Amino acid sequence: MRGTRAQTNTGSKEGVNLSKQQKKKKETTIDSYYSANGTEGERSANDKPEIPANWIQAVEELKTQLREVEDNWEKNLKIKIRHLETEALELKQENSVLKAKINQMKNEGKEMKDEVKRMKDDLQRKSDQKEKDNQKARDEIQSLRTRIQQLDPIDLTRQQDTIKQNKKNEKIEENVKHLIHKTDDLENHSRRDNLRIIGLPEDDNKRKSLDIILEEIIQENCPKILEQEGKVEIERIHRSPPVFNPQLTKPRNVIAKFKNNQMKEQILQAAKKKPFRYHGNMVRITQDLSASTLKDRKTWNTIFQKARELGLQPRIKYPSKLTIFLQGKVWSFNTTEEFQAFINKRPDLNRKFDVQPQNSRESSKGN
């Protein structure tokens, strides 16, 4: 664009000069003509006719117009020259700005070149450091492999010894479980003639002995047993635990050992059929069992209550097995986990048992 403008300005200037030369030539020709005619008039005034006045006036007007045209050309030329000078100044300023930008770009390029060189050096340094670290890691791995190869025979022997020891430990655990089961069974067998009375107030035996209280309970709830068997023969009767703790809100249980097992069974069966009362207070009579068996039975409490509400006729069989009556069939479960797996397969029943049963003693030990 600037090049086109410069060419246009140059062409305009040349045209002005050419027009000025042509005007000057024409003016000179007219003056020469008049001068020539005037001279000839003087020399031969008598020989040529006189020039009309209107022609002279026309020539004068033409000369005036030519002078005006010349003045206009000079003014236009000055204006164009000023424009060209202004444009030249602008081009000069733009050239200065371009030079400054070029210098700035050169400086930035130099800085970028320095930055690239610095990054390249830094990358090379990191690459060298990484290579050193990799070599160090390879050396350590090789050292570990050597040590492993040296330890393999020892480790194999230790693994074999560990396997043997684990098998021995498993065998010992099985024996311990078997012994615990046998011990519980023997303890329960030794308690086969015992009944546990639950809920008997503590102050009752302050006025009467426990054996008399037990006889009154039997007389009040199942008198036919006394009529058939006669007097209640008790080998021993006591509270459990023997020491009274005033901080406990519930009364201690009473454990009675009968001499006559038949009478004890009759009382137990009668207590299962209906709740026993003594002086208006409800008391429960159950089979006396070992502490571990009672703990295992206690894990069924929540499930037992829910099953009773649903009419499933729950029972706790010896030593701690739950049975329910469902769809005309009796189902038995040794652990709460078995019961949970059973109801999980029956969505309708699972929704009703919205409680999480406690873990039994056996499953806790297994975990």
Side-chain angles (χ1 to χ4, degrees), residues 200-247:
L200 183 65
E202 291 280 350
D203 55 352
D204 287 348
N205 63 311
K206 292 181 181 179
R207 298 185 298 269
K208 299 177 184 179
S209 60
L210 289 173
D211 54 346
I212 296 175
I213 293 174
L214 178 59
E215 189 169 349
E216 290 178 352
I217 291 173
I218 297 172
Q219 181 65 40
E220 183 178 347
N221 294 277
C222 47
K224 291 183 179 180
I225 295 177
L226 290 177
E227 294 175 0
Q228 295 175 359
E229 300 295 335
K231 184 180 179 181
V232 178
E233 295 183 356
I234 298 174
E235 184 175 333
R236 63 178 180 273
I237 186 170
H238 61 86
R239 292 269 184 182
S240 177
V243 180
F244 174 70
N245 184 358
Q247 296 180 353

Side-chain angles (χ1 to χ4, degrees), residues 147-362:
R147 292 180 62 186
I148 290 171
Q149 291 176 357
Q150 294 173 354
L151 292 174
D152 275 346
I154 300 174
D155 187 55
L156 181 60
T157 304
R158 288 180 179 176
Q159 288 180 358
Q160 293 174 351
D161 294 341
T162 302
I163 293 172
K164 291 180 181 179
Q165 187 63 40
N166 289 338
K167 290 182 179 180
K168 290 181 181 180
N169 293 340
E170 291 175 359
K171 187 66 176 178
I172 292 172
E173 289 179 0
E174 291 177 0
N175 292 336
V176 169
K177 289 180 181 179
H178 178 71
L179 291 174
I180 291 174
H181 177 72
K182 293 293 291 183
T183 302
D184 290 343
D185 187 60
L186 289 172
E187 185 176 354
N188 289 327
H189 185 73
S190 67
R191 295 169 181 260
R192 67 185 182 277
D193 296 330
N194 296 357
L195 286 179
R196 184 180 291 266
I197 305 169
I198 304 170
L200 183 65
E202 291 280 350
D203 55 352
D204 287 348
N205 63 311
K206 292 181 181 179
R207 298 185 298 269
K208 299 177 184 179
S209 60
L210 289 173
D211 54 346
I212 296 175
I213 293 174
L214 178 59
E215 189 169 349
E216 290 178 352
I217 291 173
I218 297 172
Q219 181 65 40
E220 183 178 347
N221 294 277
C222 47
K224 291 183 179 180
I225 295 177
L226 290 177
E227 294 175 0
Q228 295 175 359
E229 300 295 335
K231 184 180 179 181
V232 178
E233 295 183 356
I234 298 174
E235 184 175 333
R236 63 178 180 273
I237 186 170
H238 61 86
R239 292 269 184 182
S240 177
V243 180
F244 174 70
N245 184 358
Q247 296 180 353
L248 295 178
T249 58
K250 295 182 179 180
R252 293 172 293 168
N253 295 341
V254 176
I255 298 176
K257 183 176 177 62
F258 289 77
K259 291 182 179 180
N260 187 346
N261 184 266
Q262 185 176 357
M263 177 179 284
K264 169 250 169 185
E265 287 293 333
Q266 290 177 356
I267 296 171
L268 184 61
Q269 294 301 321
K272 290 180 179 179
K273 293 179 181 178
K274 68 172 186 177
F276 277 22
R277 291 184 177 276
Y278 179 65
H279 293 173
N281 296 321
M282 184 177 292
V283 294
R284 289 175 53 209
I285 296 180
T286 62
Q287 176 67 45
D288 182 35
L289 298 169
S290 65
S292 60
T293 303
L294 290 175
K295 184 178 179 181
D296 291 342
R297 288 190 171 201
K298 190 176 181 180
T299 60
W300 292 108
N301 285 351
T302 306
I303 297 175
F304 187 91
Q305 294 174 2
K306 192 66 177 180
R308 177 179 287 176
E309 293 175 2
L310 297 175
L312 299 179
Q313 303 178 17
R315 297 286 185 272
I316 301 295
K317 300 295 184 179
Y318 179 84
S320 56
K321 182 187 295 185
L322 174 72
T323 62
I324 59 173
F325 186 78
L326 179 66
Q327 298 175 351
K329 183 178 179 181
V330 177
W331 303 83
S332 61
F333 310 95
N334 292 317
T335 63
T336 55
E337 286 76 12
E338 290 183 6
F339 180 80
Q340 190 66 42
F342 174 78
I343 64 174
N344 286 340
K345 296 177 182 178
R346 293 163 175 79
D348 296 339
L349 192 61
N350 190 18
R351 284 194 295 268
K352 296 176 181 178
F353 281 89
D354 56 350
V355 293
Q356 184 66 28
Q358 300 174 357
N359 291 331
S360 63
R361 177 170 60 92
E362 289 81 359

Side-chain angles (χ1 to χ4, degrees), residues 69-198:
V69 170
E70 181 180 1
D71 293 338
N72 291 333
W73 274 105
E74 288 179 357
K75 290 179 182 179
N76 292 333
L77 181 60
K78 290 179 180 180
I79 292 171
K80 289 182 179 181
I81 290 172
R82 283 198 296 271
H83 287 170
L84 290 173
E85 290 176 350
T86 303
E87 290 179 359
L89 182 61
E90 291 177 355
L91 289 172
K92 186 176 180 181
Q93 292 175 351
E94 291 178 1
N95 190 23
S96 300
V97 173
L98 288 174
K99 286 182 178 179
K101 289 184 178 180
I102 291 171
N103 292 331
Q104 183 180 359
M105 292 179 67
K106 287 182 179 180
N107 294 331
E108 291 178 355
K110 184 178 180 182
E111 291 177 357
M112 291 179 64
K113 186 176 180 181
D114 295 339
E115 181 67 18
V116 170
K117 185 176 183 302
R118 186 187 64 78
M119 292 176 64
K120 185 177 180 181
D121 295 340
D122 188 39
L123 183 62
Q124 184 64 35
R125 184 171 59 258
K126 289 182 178 180
S127 176
D128 295 341
Q129 183 63 35
K130 186 175 181 180
E131 182 63 26
K132 291 179 181 178
D133 295 340
N134 291 339
Q135 184 61 39
K136 184 178 179 181
R138 287 193 292 268
D139 295 340
E140 291 178 354
I141 292 172
Q142 184 61 35
S143 177
L144 289 173
R145 286 177 179 173
T146 304
R147 292 180 62 186
I148 290 171
Q149 291 176 357
Q150 294 173 354
L151 292 174
D152 275 346
I154 300 174
D155 187 55
L156 181 60
T157 304
R158 288 180 179 176
Q159 288 180 358
Q160 293 174 351
D161 294 341
T162 302
I163 293 172
K164 291 180 181 179
Q165 187 63 40
N166 289 338
K167 290 182 179 180
K168 290 181 181 180
N169 293 340
E170 291 175 359
K171 187 66 176 178
I172 292 172
E173 289 179 0
E174 291 177 0
N175 292 336
V176 169
K177 289 180 181 179
H178 178 71
L179 291 174
I180 291 174
H181 177 72
K182 293 293 291 183
T183 302
D184 290 343
D185 187 60
L186 289 172
E187 185 176 354
N188 289 327
H189 185 73
S190 67
R191 295 169 181 260
R192 67 185 182 277
D193 296 330
N194 296 357
L195 286 179
R196 184 180 291 266
I197 305 169
I198 304 170

Side-chain angles (χ1 to χ4, degrees), residues 54-72:
N54 56 351
W55 283 22
I56 296 172
Q57 185 179 357
V59 171
E60 291 296 332
E61 289 177 359
L62 182 60
K63 289 173 68 176
T64 303
Q65 292 177 1
L66 288 174
R67 290 190 186 95
E68 289 177 357
V69 170
E70 181 180 1
D71 293 338
N72 291 333

